[in-house]
Each structure stands twice: as structure tokens, then as C-alpha cells.
Amino acid sequence: MLFRSSIEATNGTMSGTSTVEVQIGDLDHITIMPNTAVIDAGGSQQFTAVGYDIYDNVISGMVFAWTTDIGSVDTSGSFTAQTFPGSGIVTATNGTINISAVVNIITGPLDHIIVTPDPITLTVGDIQAFTATGYDIYNNTIAGLAFSWVTDIGAVDASGLFTAQTSPATGIVTATNGTTTGTADITLVLGQIDHIIVLPNPVTVAVG
């Protein structure tokens, strides 16, 4: 019931009244909140639907059927995103009337870094380009990350270009973004023979 009122008719000293109850009309349209959402892969979002009659009066106690093509949603509108990026909708339906919210799933925050190649064996003094890639918890690639590079077995520049030290050893090259790091294992070995030194040189030796 929207409201209750009385109607009175009077003639001379005579009157009569009637009680009138104005009811909310049938469902005309539904709103959904939020009507657009950007959610991390695997993340969650609560959606809410409200039904109205043709005059925008709220219809209380409505039950909605919830569906989605980009994750899962329960009977209360609690949505869980799929674990990879994409775009889709969440829909609330009552009878033949429905409303949809647009949902964009994006990669989540940085979870781990992979440095390639890993492992690698290089000759002392060699130059090798390393590449770092960041991923969220569901192994979705995160584009546009910048990395800080360090190594304990030579030198590495800001682009990941590594120059090996000139003596055999084992070590790592590390790429860092914030508090997250990734490493590659490096083994440095001797190169091909380049020259020979004979000792002692010079020498003077007695006959025999």
C-alpha cells in the first residue's frame, strides 16, 4: 500500500465517507547498482536490484533471478569474477523484466615475476639480454611494468642487458618491482682457449 485516505461526500447535514487505499502498481522497470563495475580477476562485487512501478514507486520484497556470463553470481547478487580478464554482464530478472550491469574484469595486482632465460650457462665476459614479466595470482600477464635490475655475478643495465664477469662463478640476476622480485640462475664457465703462456720465460739452462 502506498497510502490510505478517506473520501467524504456531503449533502446538507448528511455525509458519508469511504476509505481509499492506493496500491503500488505492477513491476515496470528495475535498476541495478552498480550499473558498471571494474573488478580484479577473481575478485568480488555485491550487486543490488530494485523494482519500480511505472511511476517510480519502489516495490518492496521483490525476488530477482541473477545470472552472469563472466563469473558466478548467487541468489543475493554477490558476484565472483572469472580468473582472467574480459567483459560481460550481470543480470537481475523478475518475470519478463530484467536489467544488466556491465562488468570489466582486469588483471589483479602483481603477485610474482618470472625472469627468462632461466637457468642459463654463459661464457665469462658474455653479454645476455634478460626479460622480466609480471603476473597476478592467476598468472595473467601485467603489461607496462618497470623493473629494477641487479646481479652478483657481473653487471646488468636498466633494460636487463647482462654482462658477465671475467671469472667462472655461479650467481643470479634479479628483477624487482616494489617488494616483488624474480630471479634467474647463471653459471659462468671458461671460454675457448685464447692464448698460451709458457713458464718460465725467458730461462737460461746449463747444458745437460
Side-chain angles (χ1 to χ4, degrees), residues 146-182:
F147 301 96
S148 298
W149 292 89
V150 295
T151 185
D152 60 354
I153 197 173
V156 62
D157 69 13
S159 70
L161 187 64
F162 169 80
T163 302
Q165 65 185 33
T166 56
S167 57
T170 58
I172 59 173
V173 62
T174 301
T176 301
N177 180 284
T179 60
T180 306
T181 63

Side-chain angles (χ1 to χ4, degrees), residues 42-205:
S44 60
Q45 173 70 51
Q46 180 65 51
F47 287 90
T48 303
V50 179
Y52 300 84
D53 69 10
I54 195 171
Y55 299 107
D56 285 332
N57 298 306
V58 175
I59 303 173
S60 61
M62 298 214 73
V63 176
F64 299 95
W66 291 90
T67 56
T68 184
D69 61 354
I70 197 167
S72 61
V73 61
D74 68 14
T75 56
S76 71
S78 180
F79 169 78
T80 301
Q82 64 188 23
T83 57
F84 52 93
S87 296
I89 58 174
V90 172
T91 301
T93 302
N94 182 285
T96 60
I97 299 173
N98 61 69
I99 186 73
S100 295
V102 176
V103 179
N104 293 309
I105 307 302
I106 61 173
T107 54
L110 179 63
D111 178 74
H112 57 283
I113 297 169
I114 294 178
V115 178
T116 55
D118 176 39
I120 189 171
T121 298
L122 299 172
T123 301
V124 293
D126 271 357
I127 295 175
Q128 172 68 46
F130 285 90
T131 301
T133 305
Y135 300 87
D136 69 10
I137 194 171
Y138 298 105
N139 287 321
N140 298 306
T141 302
I142 303 174
L145 290 177
F147 301 96
S148 298
W149 292 89
V150 295
T151 185
D152 60 354
I153 197 173
V156 62
D157 69 13
S159 70
L161 187 64
F162 169 80
T163 302
Q165 65 185 33
T166 56
S167 57
T170 58
I172 59 173
V173 62
T174 301
T176 301
N177 180 284
T179 60
T180 306
T181 63
T183 62
D185 293 321
I186 304 171
T187 300
L188 299 183
V189 297
L190 292 173
Q192 296 180 344
I193 188 168
D194 178 74
H195 57 282
I196 298 170
I197 296 175
V198 177
L199 296 172
N201 178 38
V203 65
T204 300
V205 181

